[in-house]
């Protein structure tokens, strides 16, 4: 009799893990230069934030989607997310780190095995990217998606004079969602 492939048991164990996502959307988007925070900007008929939240809400492996928003955005958030399967919003803090902490605290009564942190203003997340981060979490206590650095990087001195070229061979740009085992 042929036994089950080794990865099959591992895959079953991975699938049994609960995973929640915190979508941080409390920022004001000042560099964006618009009259409203960039997560509420329109994109193809919906707000950027709605696209972002919907991507996680429809993913089969995500148990809860926890939005963290600015206290001034409560009414706008309610309108933009009507009908989406997300948890009640959490009020964000003065920094991204404080907002993430508040999202984690909101989950502490029923913590997931794994947690993803994603930026509300990044709507291009898809199921494949989410699956790859979850696959990374099956192998390690933390996982992040990265992109290779394509630009030439220069090191400058205090007078903005180029000193040298920085090798980019081992450099990457960190992206979201960033995942980790909740207990860590």
């Amino acid at each position: 009799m042929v036994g089950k492939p080794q990865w099959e048991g591992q895959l079953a164990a991975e699938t049994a893990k609960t995973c929640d996502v915190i979508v941080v959307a409390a920022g004001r988007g000042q560099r964006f230069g618009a009259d409203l925070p960039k997560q509420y900007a329109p994109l193809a008929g919906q707000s950027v934030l709605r696209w972002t939240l919907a991507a996680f809400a429809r993913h089969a492996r995500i148990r809860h989607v926890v939005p963290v928003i600015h206290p001034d955005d409560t009414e706008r958030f309610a309108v933009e997310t009507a009908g989406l399967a997300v948890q009640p919003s959490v009020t964000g803090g003065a920094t991204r780190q404080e907002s993430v902490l508040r999202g984690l605290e909101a989950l502490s009564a029923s913590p997931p095995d794994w947690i993803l942190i994603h930026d509300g203003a990044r709507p291009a997340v898809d199921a494949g990217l989410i699956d790859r981060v979850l696959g990374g979490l099956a192998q390690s206590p933390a996982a992040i998606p990265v992109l290779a650095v394509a630009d030439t990087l220069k090191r400058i001195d205090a007078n903005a004079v180029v000193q040298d070229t920085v090798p980019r061979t081992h450099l990457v740009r960190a992206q979201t969602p960033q995942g980790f085992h909740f207990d860590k």
Side-chain angles (χ1 to χ4, degrees):
M1 180 168 120
V2 178
K4 293 182 179 181
Q6 181 179 3
W7 57 265
E8 190 174 301
Q10 188 176 14
L11 182 60
E14 173 190 336
T15 304
K17 299 287 185 184
T18 58
C19 183
D20 294 348
V21 60
I22 295 169
V23 177
V24 185
R28 305 323 296 149
Q30 294 166 332
R31 292 176 300 179
F32 186 57
D35 293 335
L36 72 164
K38 62 186 170 182
Q39 62 269 29
Y40 295 104
L43 176 66
Q46 297 183 77
S47 70
V48 168
L49 182 57
R50 186 174 182 90
W51 284 110
T52 303
L53 293 170
F56 289 102
R58 70 176 164 259
H59 194 283
R61 296 281 311 280
I62 302 299
R63 180 180 70 162
H64 298 302
V65 178
V66 179
V68 180
I69 66 168
H70 193 278
D72 294 346
D73 295 339
T74 304
E75 289 179 30
R76 176 179 284 156
F77 175 81
V79 170
E80 294 293 338
T81 60
L84 279 180
V86 299
Q87 297 298 298
S89 65
V90 173
T91 300
T95 65
R96 183 179 194 276
Q97 290 79 8
E98 189 177 342
S99 293
V100 169
L101 178 59
R102 289 182 180 185
L104 291 169
E105 289 170 345
L107 292 169
S108 65
S110 178
D113 296 308
W114 297 344
I115 188 76
L116 301 179
I117 310 294
H118 190 72
D119 296 329
R122 293 185 185 250
V125 63
D126 62 22
L129 177 59
I130 297 166
D131 288 341
R132 288 189 297 280
V133 174
L134 294 176
L137 290 175
Q139 305 298 316
S140 178
I144 64 170
V146 299
L147 296 173
V149 174
D151 297 326
T152 299
L153 302 174
K154 300 290 185 178
R155 186 180 330 276
I156 60 172
D157 64 15
N159 298 315
V161 175
V162 173
Q163 298 299 301
D164 63 347
T165 300
V166 178
R168 60 183 179 230
T169 307
H170 299 288
L171 297 177
V172 293
R173 295 181 294 149
Q175 302 291 298
T176 63
Q178 298 171 350
F180 56 92
H181 294 183
F182 191 87
D183 63 350
K184 303 294 182 206

